Amino acid sequence: DGGITQSPKYLFRKEGQNVTLSCEQNLNHDAMYWYRQDPGQGLRLIYYSQIVNDFQKGDIAEGYSVSREKKESFPLTVTSAQKNPTAFYLCASSLTPLTGEQYFGPGTRLTVT
Amino acid sequence: GDSVTQMEGPVTLSEEAFLTINCTYTATGYPSLFWYVQYPGEGLQLLLKATKADDKGSNKGFEATYRKETTSFHLEKGSVQVSDSAVYFCALSDRGNDMRFGAGTRLTVKP
């Protein structure tokens, strides 16, 4: 089955710690994306990557970092510089950067206390 | 910049009622339009899409028509079921990487 996996589903961290969220896809998609979702709000773009070894900041990149060393993988690190990291994080991919249709993973709920 | 505005929820309906969730957009180009659905604790699933004016997207009894003259893409379903309870997001994409989402509309269908 092709799809996007995110792990873990729930993640708990203490304030001041960096944490890395995993995102893997086996759809052979070129483009990958990270979004943040807060209660009652739409999705906000954190970072996106069009090809391996390249990525761009989205609307709310401060306090986050990413890497794209493999086509299948696009991990997101939430650093201690992110002031309000508790949120639901969604990873998505699309066949090409110009393809509007995006496919989403199941999400990771991060709680920082 | 491009943006999407959805009707505010929550929306509560009885089973078999007619559903309309309004969505209007602002875009400088000719975007593709999408409806996504999110069930509790899950990611978003593509429900339907339309890529040009007057296109009608449809799936699982849901429909939406791309209306350029009114910049709208309203979601409709003739008879909702309890299993349709979810959050619905309208979205547009003008250049692929620039997908914009509405705030989402929570639908609850009661038996």
Side-chain angles (χ1 to χ4, degrees):
Chain A
D1 276 347
I4 302 176
T5 57
Q6 291 185 244
S7 60
K9 190 164 180 63
Y10 299 96
L11 193 52
F12 299 88
R13 281 294 183 270
K14 295 290 188 185
E15 198 172 314
Q17 294 178 335
N18 291 354
V19 59
T20 297
L21 282 58
S22 167
C23 177
E24 304 276 334
Q25 54 100 358
N26 61 3
L27 299 168
N28 200 32
H29 284 178
D30 286 336
M32 297 186 74
Y33 311 83
W34 274 106
Y35 292 93
R36 171 182 171 134
Q37 185 179 23
D38 293 287
Q41 296 188 30
L43 279 65
R44 292 183 290 170
L45 183 63
I46 304 172
Y47 268 99
Y48 65 94
S49 169
Q50 299 183 357
I51 57 172
V52 174
N53 293 323
D54 182 66
F55 48 83
Q56 307 295 329
K57 292 182 179 180
D59 298 324
I60 56 165
E62 186 176 347
Y64 300 97
S65 66
V66 293
S67 63
R68 186 90 185 274
E69 296 176 2
K70 297 186 301 182
K71 187 175 185 177
E72 303 79 24
S73 179
F74 191 40
L76 173 74
T77 297
V78 184
T79 75
S80 56
Q82 168 51 231
K83 291 185 172 52
N84 186 18
T86 295
F88 190 51
Y89 290 88
L90 288 161
C91 180
S93 71
S94 62
L95 183 61
T96 73
L98 295 179
T99 305
E101 190 171 324
Q102 294 182 11
Y103 295 85
F104 284 81
T108 293
R109 185 166 300 281
L110 172 64
T111 303
V112 177
T113 57
Chain B
D2 294 355
S3 66
V4 173
T5 303
Q6 284 181 241
M7 65 183 285
E8 291 189 16
V11 174
T12 303
L13 296 173
S14 297
E15 207 164 20
E16 298 183 3
F18 185 86
L19 168 71
T20 300
I21 300 178
N22 290 337
C23 171
T24 57
Y25 68 90
T26 302
T28 53
Y30 300 93
S32 295
L33 301 173
F34 306 86
W35 277 100
Y36 283 87
V37 59
Q38 184 179 36
Y39 298 100
E42 298 183 9
L44 275 66
Q45 300 175 26
L46 179 65
L47 182 59
L48 53 84
K49 66 177 182 180
T51 57
K52 60 184 188 298
D54 299 325
D55 268 2
K56 177 187 281 188
S58 62
N59 186 26
K60 300 181 182 179
F62 292 90
E63 292 182 341
T65 301
Y66 190 141
R67 301 283 188 203
K68 192 167 182 296
E69 63 276 12
T70 55
T71 61
S72 65
F73 193 55
H74 305 321
L75 183 68
E76 297 182 336
K77 187 176 186 184
S79 175
V80 294
Q81 306 300 312
V82 172
S83 58
D84 294 327
S85 298
V87 180
Y88 292 81
F89 291 92
C90 185
L92 71 80
S93 175
D94 199 2
R95 293 179 298 277
N97 289 317
D98 200 18
M99 182 165 275
R100 298 289 167 178
F101 291 85
T105 302
R106 181 175 300 278
L107 169 67
T108 301
V109 180
K110 296 187 173 180

